[in-house]
Amino acid sequence: MTADKLVEYRNLFIGGAWVAPEDGGMLESIDPSTGRPWALVAYGGAKDIDKAVAAARQAFGPWSRMPGHERAALMRRFADIYRARAPELAVLETRDNGRALRESRVDIGGHATAYHWYASMADKNGGRTIPIDDSVHAFTTRVPVGVVGAITPWNVPMMAAMWKLGPALAAGCTVVLKPAEQTPVTSLELGKLFEEAGFPAGVVNIVPGYGKGGAGERLVQHPDVNKIAFTGEGTTAQAILRAGADTLKRFTFELGGKAPHIIFADADVEQALNAATGSAWALCGQSCALGSRVLVERPIYDQVVAEFSRRAKRVRVGMPLQESTHMGPQAHSEQLSKTLSYVDIGRNEGAELVAGGRRLQEGELAAGYFIEPTVFANVRNDMRIAREEIFGPVAALIPFDGEDEAIALANDSSYGLAAGLWTRDVGRSLRVSSRIEAGIVWVNTYRFIRWSTPYGGFKASGWGRENGLEGFDAYLETRTTVISTAGRFPDAYAQ
């Protein structure tokens, strides 16, 4: 592919206008299925972030004071446009990050409903009256936190943007969105949708760019940014905390995971296997919520290992835009190298590789970042493949005996984002789920995530929640007002 055939996005979206980067430039977006560039995209630097933040700050006053039903109407108009464009957006996201089109369609196809749900919150942002006595009237109001810097990852750029833009805009905040440099295309397409919906200039600004030393670092440090909402790696979150500490910003972090997916011997094994294999290899393993640690009660362990191995061979790995493809490539070359390195680590640690583990380079897959669905058996929970987030399609199968050991293994992790368990025993489902250290626990299902269900992590998996009422609250501050009904105050020095 030559440069003159690349899809081009030469401008940033700042202050309601499409403007050329001031101190950024142009970068190539790589199609991970071919290893070649498919788009040429503008990226911003510190000066561009300064302009975007200034635009967001100027827009904040009018936007935050706009009646909630008027903000809701604009959000609904945007959601309807988004729904109509969803098929096209799904194709663009698949080109940018390699996710199988069948997955992108399902994911992005539901985002409009989420934006509608958040629009419904825009005019219901009430406070409460606090009863004290007849001398005062005390009440609270909920006010938007201000200008939000939203930093999104490369694995699910549109979903992560929706999780931040929906509640922020409903709350009355303005936003500067910085997508990951590997996957900027669909985020810039969002600017066209906001423009078409008639959003006021500066309410949403979109500046792709690099993190350290670039647009991301400046956004975090900027004194006029009141909150950072970040999805990504824990080490990056630590750097964000250090960079934003001087301005005492608010932070929401959705970070990594190493989710335990527990299968008890009394489970409906067929359904459990459907969920466990699907959640191990979805998004080519590039999701923090995937059940990458599969904990299996010993009486059915051999059966589950055999089925994982058999089902791995049924996964159709191929070009992501093909309708028949189950699993596309890793999103970029660095992630492919990381995943392959963990296959070697697993072998060296003594785990048994029972399926996959090989890069696929046959035929049309030759130049892409494809890898087979991979299964390790006889894994111990102290092995690196069981403790560290791989972010590739690698399942580690760990045997256990009884509830107490299952819970101990599940909680023996620095992460605490998600967990799943399968059992026909209702009492067991309640006992076990109540003891698991995770922000969301799925029982006899997995990866059931909706805009109305709070999502976020314990421990190193994050701060705060996205989605649900809790996700909306994260973009609001509480003001308490106390009004004297008598208007009198004693003179402390009268005597």
Side-chain angles (χ1 to χ4, degrees):
M1 183 179 293
T2 58
D4 60 347
K5 294 182 181 179
L6 300 180
V7 178
E8 294 188 357
Y9 296 81
R10 290 194 166 273
N11 295 309
L12 313 171
F13 187 61
I14 298 175
W18 293 96
V19 297
E22 185 172 338
D23 65 343
M26 304 296 293
L27 60 84
E28 293 179 334
S29 184
I30 304 298
D31 182 339
S33 68
T34 64
R36 298 193 300 270
W38 77 279
L40 190 65
V41 183
Y43 72 91
K47 292 181 180 178
D48 299 298
I49 289 294
D50 288 348
K51 289 166 59 177
V53 172
R57 177 57 59 191
Q58 183 175 359
F60 174 67
W63 178 251
S64 64
R65 292 191 297 269
M66 181 184 289
H69 67 274
E70 293 183 15
R71 286 202 307 273
L74 280 169
M75 290 183 67
R76 293 189 186 284
R77 191 181 307 160
F78 168 82
D80 289 339
I81 296 169
Y82 193 109
R83 191 186 306 278
R85 290 279 306 280
E88 176 189 344
L89 293 171
V91 170
L92 292 173
E93 181 153 305
T94 288
R95 297 243 16 218
D96 227 11
N97 73 355
R99 187 179 185 183
L101 182 59
R102 60 166 61 191
E103 290 184 346
S104 298
R105 281 177 177 159
V106 171
D107 178 10
I108 294 174
H111 293 177
T113 304
Y115 279 112
H116 273 292
W117 190 84
Y118 274 113
S120 73
M121 302 300 297
D123 60 356
K124 300 175 182 62
N125 180 25
R128 64 188 179 94
T129 300
I130 304 171
I132 299 176
D133 57 41
D134 291 342
S135 68
V136 296
H137 176 61
F139 61 93
T140 64
T141 49
R142 302 283 277 155
V143 297
V145 71
V147 175
V148 173
I151 303 175
T152 53
W154 46 259
N155 62 330
V156 283
M158 292 295 274
M159 184 179 78
M162 175 266 290
W163 284 11
K164 295 164 179 56
L165 287 166
L169 297 174
C173 298
T174 55
V175 180
V176 177
L177 173 64
K178 192 212 82 69
E181 64 269 19
Q182 298 94 339
T183 54
V185 167
T186 47
S187 296
L188 286 169
E189 288 287 338
L190 279 177
K192 299 177 184 178
L193 275 60
F194 282 111
E195 193 174 32
E196 184 177 345
F199 268 65
V203 171
V204 177
N205 307 271
I206 302 168
V207 183
Y210 294 97
K212 186 176 181 180
E217 186 171 298
R218 178 56 182 159
L219 185 61
V220 170
Q221 293 174 338
H222 203 293
D224 281 340
V225 173
N226 304 100
K227 175 183 172 67
I228 294 292
F230 169 76
T231 300
E233 294 184 356
T235 53
T236 305
Q238 292 169 349
I240 287 172
L241 276 175
R242 288 190 290 269
D246 288 346
T247 53
L248 292 177
K249 288 176 170 57
R250 307 296 186 260
F251 295 97
T252 300
F253 291 137
E254 198 272 281
L255 308 176
K258 196 69 178 178
H261 200 160
I262 307 167
I263 306 176
F264 286 98
D266 68 347
D268 184 329
V269 177
E270 180 71 15
Q271 299 305 313
L273 281 164
N274 290 345
T277 54
S279 68
W281 303 321
L283 283 82
C284 200
Q286 298 167 133
S287 169
C288 47
L290 296 190
S292 53
R293 283 191 300 151
V294 185
L295 312 182
V296 186
E297 200 162 19
R298 206 171 295 276
I300 60 170
Y301 184 77
D302 290 342
Q303 175 188 355
V304 170
V305 170
E307 270 298 295
F308 254 84
S309 180
R310 184 182 73 83
R311 293 183 183 214
K313 297 176 177 64
R314 292 168 47 200
V315 177
R316 292 191 295 270
V317 181
M319 300 301 283
L321 288 174
Q322 293 177 359
E323 298 288 344
S324 61
T325 293
H326 289 145
M327 192 175 92
Q330 300 272 263
H332 49 82
S333 60
E334 293 84 358
Q335 182 56 49
L336 174 66
S337 297
K338 178 183 176 183
T339 300
L340 291 171
S341 74
Y342 273 97
V343 174
D344 292 336
I345 289 168
R347 285 195 184 107
N348 293 335
E349 288 181 317
E352 180 185 359
L353 182 64
V354 296
R358 185 175 64 93
R359 181 179 181 180
L360 296 173
Q361 294 181 284
E362 293 79 24
E364 63 182 349
L365 309 185
Y369 310 138
F370 297 91
I371 185 172
E372 294 174 313
T374 300
V375 184
F376 278 102
N378 298 317
V379 177
R380 299 188 318 273
N381 203 53
D382 61 353
M383 292 179 176
R384 288 181 63 190
I385 59 170
R387 303 200 69 79
E388 299 173 11
E389 187 175 41
I390 299 172
F391 231 56
V394 180
L397 276 54
I398 303 171
F400 71 86
D401 294 295
E403 287 182 23
D404 288 342
E405 186 179 11
I407 294 165
L409 289 169
N411 291 338
D412 182 19
S413 172
S414 60
Y415 296 108
L417 181 59
L421 65 101
W422 289 80
T423 178
R424 286 189 172 96
D425 185 331
V426 175
R428 169 177 281 166
S429 71
L430 290 169
R431 287 192 304 272
V432 175
S433 62
S434 68
R435 293 173 62 190
I436 291 178
E437 297 167 353
I440 188 166
V441 181
W442 295 291
V443 179
N444 294 335
T445 187
Y446 203 85
R447 288 187 72 231
F448 186 93
I449 301 172
R450 295 294 184 273
W451 46 89
S452 53
T453 55
Y455 183 83
F458 291 14
K459 299 187 283 190
S461 286
W463 285 5
R465 294 294 180 267
E466 295 188 295
N467 295 344
L469 298 179
E470 290 81 355
F472 183 58
D473 287 345
Y475 293 89
L476 295 166
E477 298 277 23
T478 298
R479 175 191 293 124
T480 300
T481 303
V482 180
I483 301 176
S484 170
T485 58
R488 297 181 179 180
F489 200 91
D491 182 353
Y493 311 108
Q495 296 181 359

